[in-house]
Amino acid sequence: MSCFEIIDPAFGTFVLGNAPVKKLATGFDWVEGPVWFGDAQCLLFSDIPNNKIMRWSPEQGISVFRAPSNYANGHTRDRQGRLISCEHGTRRVTRTEYDGSITVIADRFNGKPLNSPNDVVVKSDGTIWFSDPHYGIMTNYEGFAAEQENPCVVYRVTPETAAIEVMIDDMNCPNGLAFSPDESLLYVADTGRMHGSDPQHIRVYDCASTGRPKGGRVFHKIDPGVADGIRVDSEGNLWSSAADGVHCLAPDGHLMGKILVPELVSNICFGGRAKHELYITATTSLYRVTLNRKGNQTP
Ligand code: MG
């Protein structure tokens, strides 16, 4: 059975018919936040309920990178290649320096603790953009249950000054986020408060004029499931997590095709020597598929 569902014929050129969706590691509880380190030839990802950041490499397989991880969720790298992490347990965003020490990038807004930073991207100007829904403080499963003291918004932090600003305040529960290749557009997944009538869709904001997101029209509604983690490829197609795998959306928002994965997908990232491999975190397992596309994310 094919691992791919081709809806737009162009998607047939994005995938390789004989490339498997390969399970690389399993036995986790809820994996999230994959980030590729080409210089170290490894992938880091979170196993949130088990309070660990895991490391996988083609040579050495799976190992623990950091435990406890403060219930880390999403990760990315900054323009200098340093690891940027969202932590539920400490309700903060951190940077891991080259020597392994940890610098707090953001942990409060308006004098109150953040909720539970979920996912993060770094723009070419070095600013760090992250979503702050309340999932990590709702229960003790992925962090510590606590009162919500700030709204669920998207923040921008300027690391040099530690200035933190609200960039998007009209979403229910912002989650994954990704810029278009020219950074004129910002895509943000809204996973909602898990109530039946809540918005659960990907919106796209225009950032071209001032660098601040404007508009926020509905771009696509993932079905089945919801968009959690999202990534953009070098041609501007958006790849999104879904209940049945990974969906590929054209820049106009139409569904081009699917990579079918046997577990609920949380997040994805491009990696490998040509950024042509898609790493997929899906519930209890890490998967990888080689594509005829390459990722846009840095580095
Ligand atoms: Mg997420």
Side-chain angles (χ1 to χ4, degrees):
M1 197 185 80
S2 173
C3 306
F4 308 109
E5 193 175 315
I6 294 164
I7 294 157
D8 181 327
F11 186 69
T13 67
F14 292 9
V15 298
L16 302 160
N18 60 344
V21 176
K22 187 174 181 181
K23 188 186 285 188
L24 301 176
T26 191
F28 312 106
D29 282 343
W30 180 249
V31 285
E32 250 283 6
V35 57
W36 177 254
F37 280 69
D39 39 0
Q41 284 295 299
C42 75
L43 183 90
L44 300 183
F45 62 98
S46 298
D47 182 2
I48 306 177
N50 288 309
N51 204 10
K52 288 177 182 156
I53 300 173
M54 305 303 297
R55 178 185 190 275
W56 178 88
S57 80
E59 297 301 323
Q60 289 147 341
I62 199 80
S63 59
V64 176
F65 174 77
R66 181 182 295 165
S69 65
N70 299 321
Y71 295 91
N73 186 339
H75 306 277
T76 191
R77 300 180 75 183
D78 69 7
R79 309 307 283 196
Q80 291 76 37
R82 296 169 293 193
L83 175 67
I84 306 290
S85 301
C86 294
E87 299 179 0
H88 286 180
T90 36
R91 302 169 71 168
R92 65 185 190 179
V93 176
T94 61
R95 180 176 65 220
T96 301
E97 308 294 349
Y98 301 128
D99 66 3
S101 63
I102 288 174
T103 301
V104 178
I105 298 293
D107 62 356
R108 302 180 86 76
F109 182 73
N110 268 346
K112 298 172 188 161
L114 300 174
N115 298 324
S116 49
N118 188 294
D119 217 340
V120 58
V121 289
V122 175
K123 206 177 169 191
S124 61
D125 63 4
T127 54
I128 296 168
W129 298 58
F130 68 94
S131 58
D132 189 35
H134 65 317
Y135 301 125
I137 55 172
M138 288 173 75
T139 69
N140 286 303
Y141 185 51
E142 297 188 11
F144 302 101
E147 284 297 313
Q148 180 180 341
E149 297 181 57
N150 269 306
C152 298
V153 299
V154 172
Y155 293 104
R156 178 181 72 182
V157 178
T158 305
E160 293 77 19
T161 62
I164 177 167
E165 301 167 87
V166 175
M167 285 289 118
I168 295 175
D169 64 0
D170 65 347
M171 299 192 97
N172 198 304
C173 276
N175 203 315
L177 53 175
F179 283 101
S180 62
D182 66 0
E183 299 184 336
S184 66
L185 301 171
L186 175 63
Y187 300 93
V188 186
D190 191 339
T191 33
R193 289 185 179 254
M194 307 301 182
H195 303 140
S197 59
D198 283 346
Q200 293 185 316
H201 47 218
I202 301 166
R203 288 170 65 188
V204 59
Y205 292 80
D206 179 9
C207 301
S209 49
T210 63
R212 289 176 176 269
K214 295 267 187 317
R217 66 185 164 82
V218 174
F219 175 72
H220 188 92
K221 167 91 178 73
I222 290 292
D223 181 38
V226 299
D228 186 342
I230 55 176
R231 301 282 189 178
V232 170
D233 70 24
S234 62
E235 306 294 316
N237 303 297
L238 187 73
W239 299 70
S240 173
S241 60
D244 58 350
V246 178
H247 294 191
C248 178
L249 311 169
D252 69 2
H254 82 270
L255 176 62
M256 299 187 76
K258 301 179 179 183
I259 300 164
L260 301 174
V261 179
E263 296 183 74
L264 180 72
V265 174
S266 64
N267 212 334
I268 50 180
C269 82
F270 289 92
R273 64 177 158 76
K275 289 198 257 182
H276 64 311
E277 296 169 340
L278 190 69
Y279 288 85
I280 302 166
T281 50
T283 312
T284 68
S285 307
L286 172 70
Y287 296 83
R288 179 189 65 193
V289 61
T290 301
L291 299 173
N292 189 28
R293 292 276 101 185
K294 60 178 185 176
N296 181 59
Q297 91 255 25
T298 55

